[in-house]
Amino acid sequence: MASSSSLLSEDQPRCSICLDVFTDPVSTPCGHNYCRVCLKEYWDSSSCCQCPVCKTEFPTRPELSVNTFISGLAAHFKKSVQIKSSRTPEKRTSKPTKVLCESCSEEKLEAVKSCLDCGVSYCETHLALHKTTPKFKKHKLMDPVENLEDYICQKHERPLELFCRDDQTCVCQFCTEGEHKTHSTVPIEEESGEKKTQLGKTQAEVQQMIQDRLKKIEEIRQSVELNKKSSEKEKVDGVEIFRALLRCIERSQAELLEEKQKAAERQAEEFIKELEQEISELKRRDTELEQLSHTEDHLHLIQVYPSLWSPPPTKNWTEVRINSHLRVETLRRALTRLQEELSKEMKKVDEHEMKRIQQYAVDVTLDPDSAHPFLILSDDGKQVRHGDKRQKLPDKLERFDYCVNVLGKEGFSSGRFYYEVQVRGKTEWDLGVTRESSSRKGKIILSPENGYWTVWLRNETEYKALDSPRVPLSLKQTPQKVGVFVDYEEGLVSFYDVEARSHIYSFTGQSFTEKLYQYFSPSLSYGGKNSAPLIITPVKHQK
């Protein structure tokens, strides 16, 4: 059979069946010429013996002889094509946008199909035989492609129709009778269908990821806008607070200066009063001396002389000056008033801070898988207390086995969160946060180095922040409800007395790299003395 060629001229001698240059051409009684093999295969696949072109039927299959004239023309054409190909270097052109029919002798039409069995691409006209001839109907057609050799097995020159799942490669039918004989093979269409299904799922996942990220972008933009508005409000509030503090200081300074002036005036008045009293006494003595100097009663003069011969006792006013310095009591009094004013302003700051952080309130539920066997959790996961008996619970990796602790269910690896815990009626408790990888087995030393940021109460009145080193806390009143606020990115963990609306302690400058979980310990019950539960309460936002 003729081999395919893309170098066909207008006057080429070609077979009407294979549409290629004749190979061993024969003639039918009706005068039409075909390749011997092409005509034989055509008649073998047909129920009657007829000419493929004019459809003339023959009662019996005629004897076929080689047409020497056509054979000579074909040989001459093949030789000329080979010479032309050897003399003309192949021109490299850019990849065409369309696949052209390889059987068109005049103007090349665009191919509509490529045949994997023939290894040729055809236009609609030259594809006709593949639609009408039984033999060619069995050929595998596909959408036209330029690199048709990629779709044909290089070893067997057969279409790659199957997919070997063991070797993850495309094979032909002959490959499955050889080295792929025991392998799992399926039609390419089936494997392609499954791949398309998987691609559809992947595409859906990609599209969902796109949507998630678009949503996240919108959230970030909204967050930036909200932060901008919040920052502007905080800036205004902060400026007002500092202005109030400045007014307080200026007022205290003015009062202090006024107090200094008043003190000087009071001292001057006392000095003047005392001087006026001395002047009165001196004037009275001057009058007595004047009268005595004119008396003729010598005896009387001698008798009263001892009491009048010297001036009356008076203060030495030479070094007396108005004191321009404030007395310690006055200064202390002024500083005390200033401290009271500053305390009031700090109270406003704390209230403002509480109002701000409460907007980050989250719903916290206790994780029973982390609870020590002696701890009893409420059904809703909002309360925990120390029980009298050790419960039989699975010894899970996340469960505390020595310290009576429990964690919240949900971890946080970004952003801010806030929650409140009622500690009323307890003599001991621990509260705070811990990182996901922190130790939960054996004795635990609470410290930031060990992944715990906590505050505790001991002996009813002893409060400490378990920093490094530990910090004793002096609280004005006993907290009944404690608020815990975390800013992950800022590395901040703060504690507040909710009812007093005051700050207790803050861990600052921390570096968080993994999930943080809320940490609770109701401590031991001590025979009922500390049996009150820790209760996670809803956050009541302040107006």
Side-chain angles (χ1 to χ4, degrees), residues 309-377:
W309 75 272
S310 61
T314 56
K315 181 188 291 187
N316 182 4
W317 293 91
T318 305
E319 302 298 330
V320 173
R321 297 286 187 275
I322 297 296
N323 186 7
S324 60
H325 301 289
L326 288 172
R327 291 181 299 173
V328 175
E329 293 78 7
T330 303
L331 184 60
R332 183 180 290 113
R333 199 162 51 245
L335 292 175
T336 300
R337 285 199 301 269
L338 179 59
Q339 188 176 21
E340 290 173 354
E341 291 294 329
L342 288 174
S343 296
K344 290 179 182 179
E345 294 303 323
M346 285 303 298
K347 182 71 174 176
K348 292 179 182 179
V349 172
D350 288 342
E351 289 178 354
H352 174 75
E353 177 70 6
M354 286 290 294
K355 183 179 179 181
R356 183 184 70 84
I357 65 176
Q358 283 181 332
Q359 66 179 315
Y360 300 105
V362 295
D363 183 22
V364 180
T365 303
L366 299 172
D367 181 10
D369 291 337
S370 67
H372 186 279
F374 265 101
L375 295 182
I376 299 175
L377 276 58

Side-chain angles (χ1 to χ4, degrees), residues 24-82:
D24 197 14
V26 295
S27 300
T28 62
C30 58
H32 293 103
N33 300 301
Y34 306 96
C35 296
R36 181 189 293 275
V37 174
C38 292
L39 186 58
K40 182 178 181 301
E41 289 182 354
Y42 178 79
W43 282 344
D44 289 343
S45 62
S46 179
S47 60
C48 61
C49 184
Q50 63 179 4
C51 176
V53 175
C54 66
K55 305 300 180 184
T56 300
E57 293 190 10
F58 308 108
T60 59
R61 186 176 295 193
E63 291 292 332
L64 301 174
S65 300
V66 175
N67 188 321
T68 55
F69 177 72
I70 298 296
S71 180
L73 286 177
H76 176 73
F77 176 78
K78 289 180 179 179
K79 185 176 181 181
S80 64
V81 167
Q82 290 174 354

Side-chain angles (χ1 to χ4, degrees), residues 413-506:
S413 55
S414 65
R416 302 164 180 169
F417 62 91
Y418 173 79
Y419 62 98
E420 295 178 353
V421 183
Q422 180 178 301
V423 296
R424 182 178 289 110
K426 297 196 65 61
T427 59
E428 287 191 5
W429 50 258
D430 307 351
L431 289 175
V433 294
T434 183
R435 65 188 177 210
E436 186 173 26
S437 64
S438 59
S439 175
R440 304 184 190 181
K441 303 299 182 182
K443 189 175 181 179
I444 298 171
I445 298 176
L446 301 179
S447 69
E449 288 77 11
N450 293 331
Y452 288 87
W453 293 267
T454 59
V455 166
W456 76 10
L457 166 67
R458 292 293 184 268
N459 302 320
E460 297 188 47
T461 58
E462 297 176 9
Y463 295 91
K464 282 186 179 180
L466 305 187
D467 208 333
S468 300
R470 294 182 174 182
V471 180
L473 303 174
S474 179
L475 305 183
K476 294 181 179 179
Q477 61 187 56
T478 301
Q480 303 299 307
K481 188 183 293 185
V482 176
V484 183
F485 173 70
V486 175
D487 188 326
Y488 193 96
E489 283 72 24
E490 288 294 324
L492 173 68
V493 182
S494 295
F495 298 83
Y496 298 86
D497 183 335
V498 176
E499 295 183 355
R501 307 194 65 72
S502 60
H503 175 257
I504 295 176
Y505 187 78
S506 286

Side-chain angles (χ1 to χ4, degrees), residues 61 76 80 111 123 133 152 159 255-256 375 419 468 518 525 528 536:
R61 186 176 295 193
H76 176 73
S80 64
C123 66
T133 306
I152 299 174
E255 290 176 354
L256 195 62
L375 295 182
Y419 62 98
S468 300
Q518 300 89 354
S525 64
I536 302 170

Side-chain angles (χ1 to χ4, degrees), residues 185-383:
T185 58
V186 294
I188 282 182
E189 292 81 358
E190 180 181 336
E191 183 66 22
S192 177
E194 293 186 10
K195 291 288 193 293
K196 283 183 178 180
T197 301
Q198 185 58 45
L199 286 175
K201 293 180 180 178
T202 303
Q203 184 180 14
E205 291 176 3
V206 170
Q207 291 175 349
Q208 185 60 49
M209 291 172 69
I210 292 172
Q211 293 303 316
D212 291 343
R213 279 149 183 77
L214 289 173
K215 183 179 179 181
K216 192 63 178 180
I217 289 174
E218 187 61 28
E219 288 178 359
I220 291 172
R221 285 175 177 167
Q222 290 179 358
S223 177
V224 169
E225 190 62 28
L226 289 174
N227 283 339
K228 182 179 178 181
K229 293 179 180 178
S230 177
S231 297
E232 289 175 354
K233 188 176 184 306
E234 289 179 10
K235 180 180 178 181
V236 172
D237 293 341
V239 169
E240 181 56 35
I241 289 172
F242 278 105
R243 283 177 178 172
L245 290 174
L246 287 173
R247 288 195 298 270
C248 175
I249 293 172
E250 290 171 355
R251 186 169 59 252
S252 296
Q253 182 184 28
E255 290 176 354
L256 195 62
L257 294 174
E258 184 179 357
E259 179 65 26
K260 176 182 176 181
Q261 180 62 28
K262 288 181 178 180
E265 290 175 358
R266 285 195 299 271
Q267 188 180 41
E269 289 176 359
E270 292 175 359
F271 288 164
I272 291 171
K273 184 178 180 180
E274 189 174 354
L275 284 167
E276 287 177 344
Q277 289 177 351
E278 289 188 358
I279 289 171
S280 297
E281 181 63 26
L282 289 171
K283 284 182 177 181
R284 186 182 63 80
R285 177 64 58 89
D286 180 62
T287 300
E288 291 179 352
L289 291 174
E290 178 64 26
Q291 292 175 354
L292 191 60
S293 65
H294 297 288
T295 184
E296 295 296 332
D297 188 344
H298 304 291
L299 179 62
H300 174 68
L301 187 147
I302 293 172
Q303 289 176 340
V304 299
Y305 178 80
S307 61
L308 299 176
W309 75 272
S310 61
T314 56
K315 181 188 291 187
N316 182 4
W317 293 91
T318 305
E319 302 298 330
V320 173
R321 297 286 187 275
I322 297 296
N323 186 7
S324 60
H325 301 289
L326 288 172
R327 291 181 299 173
V328 175
E329 293 78 7
T330 303
L331 184 60
R332 183 180 290 113
R333 199 162 51 245
L335 292 175
T336 300
R337 285 199 301 269
L338 179 59
Q339 188 176 21
E340 290 173 354
E341 291 294 329
L342 288 174
S343 296
K344 290 179 182 179
E345 294 303 323
M346 285 303 298
K347 182 71 174 176
K348 292 179 182 179
V349 172
D350 288 342
E351 289 178 354
H352 174 75
E353 177 70 6
M354 286 290 294
K355 183 179 179 181
R356 183 184 70 84
I357 65 176
Q358 283 181 332
Q359 66 179 315
Y360 300 105
V362 295
D363 183 22
V364 180
T365 303
L366 299 172
D367 181 10
D369 291 337
S370 67
H372 186 279
F374 265 101
L375 295 182
I376 299 175
L377 276 58
S378 62
D379 293 338
D380 62 0
K382 300 296 184 182
Q383 301 186 29

